[in-house]
């Protein structure tokens, strides 16, 4: 039997964060729509996996590994059963380290 769950968590940062994909001096000035993390856990006859879709530009290895380690710590799910996806929006914060595009806000 296949079981599927759906969730939604608002992850909108405060106004003033570095904007993804712009120069180092571009910061958010307002919020139009909330950014979210949308977890989708699957269980197929006891085999569990988790997909997490996030409305951010992209995420670096540090952030993804941190997310996976916290999920393992709290829920016991192994990192290779977790996939963290991004929608690739430039209407959100920098969530990765890229030279010349600002510092990571998280």
């Amino acid at each position: 039997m296949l079981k599927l769950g759906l969730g939604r968590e608002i992850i909108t940062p405060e106004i003033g964060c570095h904007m993804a994909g712009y120069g180092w001096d571009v910061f958010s000035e307002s919020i139009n729509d909330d950014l979210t993390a949308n977890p989708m856990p699957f269980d197929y006859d006891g085999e569990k996996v988790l997909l997490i879709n996030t409305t951010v530009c992209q995420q670096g290895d540090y952030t993804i590994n941190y997310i996976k380690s916290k999920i393992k710590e709290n829920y016991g799910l192994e990192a290779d059963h977790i996939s963290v996806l991004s929608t690739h929006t430039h209407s959100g914060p920098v969530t990765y380290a890229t030279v010349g595009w600002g510092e990571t806000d998280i």
Side-chain angles (χ1 to χ4, degrees), residues 17-80:
C17 70
H18 284 104
M19 296 296 290
Y22 298 94
W24 60 270
D25 59 347
V26 177
F27 301 90
S28 66
E29 298 176 356
S30 64
I31 297 172
N32 188 52
D33 296 309
D34 280 320
L35 303 177
T36 60
N38 302 287
M40 295 169 280
F42 294 84
D43 183 326
Y44 183 71
D45 291 336
E47 187 71 27
K48 298 177 182 181
V49 297
L50 176 63
L51 303 177
I52 304 171
N53 184 49
T54 59
T55 51
V56 297
C57 187
Q58 67 186 45
Q59 296 169 53
D61 290 340
Y62 174 83
T63 303
I64 291 172
N65 291 334
Y66 178 80
I67 291 168
K68 288 180 176 185
S69 71
K70 286 299 184 183
I71 291 169
K72 181 177 182 180
E73 180 182 314
N74 289 300
Y75 302 102
L77 191 60
E78 295 296 328
D80 63 349

